[in-house]
Amino acid sequence: MSREDAVEGFLAALAISFGVIFVAELGDKSQLMAMTFATRYRTGIVLAGITIATAVVHLVSVGVGVGLGSALPTGWIALAAGVAFLAFAAWTLRGDSLTEEEKTKAQRGGKSALWAVGGAFFLAELGDKTMLATITLATQHGWFGTWVGSTVGMVAADALAILVGRWLGRSLPERAVRYGAAALFVLFGVWLLVDAVGQLT
């Protein structure tokens, strides 16, 4: 692979993973936690904690995705990824909310704000749809671009939630965000399924 191809692949992975994870995070419980933390701690501390936790979780995710990608034929991976994205669309339509325990964790102060925020986000992201989406993306695209794009996409979505929550005093319009995010997941899913059919026939 030439250097130009490598750069092009990195940029493609970066752009796709940024877009998918940014959309997946809208209305997610992690975004709600970010808004709650921002009422208690400085915005910079909250975003630093989110960034550290997200970088670690998504690094694990791309590792799993790359491992799956090297072990399975690309056509079947694309098929599974397409089905997964349709499932993410249904998951997004269902909506998300914080449990009472999660609200308590977000509101309770700790010895270190950075560790409190980072730890809460790390635990919240394990098994969440953004982690699963990152694994799925890593089976299709380069690991480094997917890792950087997914991390930046999630931090950007949470930063947006904090800014909107602070400036306007209310959250993003939940129903519109849910439907828009679900529609984009369907588009990604259909695109992957068409690609899979092309590879398998």
Side-chain angles (χ1 to χ4, degrees), residues 72-164:
L72 297 171
T74 56
W76 290 107
I77 290 173
L79 182 64
V83 172
F85 273 90
L86 294 179
F88 295 150
W91 190 343
T92 301
L93 281 176
R94 188 192 67 183
D96 220 343
S97 60
L98 294 178
T99 64
E100 287 303 317
E101 182 181 354
E102 287 167 335
K103 286 180 184 176
T104 302
K105 284 180 182 177
Q107 290 168 349
R108 187 171 56 227
K111 291 182 179 178
S112 168
L114 182 65
W115 288 113
V117 175
F121 270 84
F122 179 83
L123 294 174
E125 281 306 297
L126 293 177
D128 195 55
K129 67 175 179 286
T130 49
M131 181 182 183
L132 299 177
T134 303
I135 292 172
T136 304
L137 288 166
T139 65
Q140 298 287 303
H141 306 285
W143 75 269
F144 187 63
T146 299
W147 177 53
V148 174
S150 62
T151 300
V152 174
M154 182 168 166
V155 173
D158 290 335
L160 177 64
I162 292 169
L163 290 175
V164 171

Side-chain angles (χ1 to χ4, degrees), residues 13 15 26 36-37 46 57 78 86 98 104 127 142 145 149 185 194:
L26 295 178
T36 305
F37 274 123
V46 176
V57 171
L86 294 179
L98 294 178
T104 302
F185 271 126
V194 169

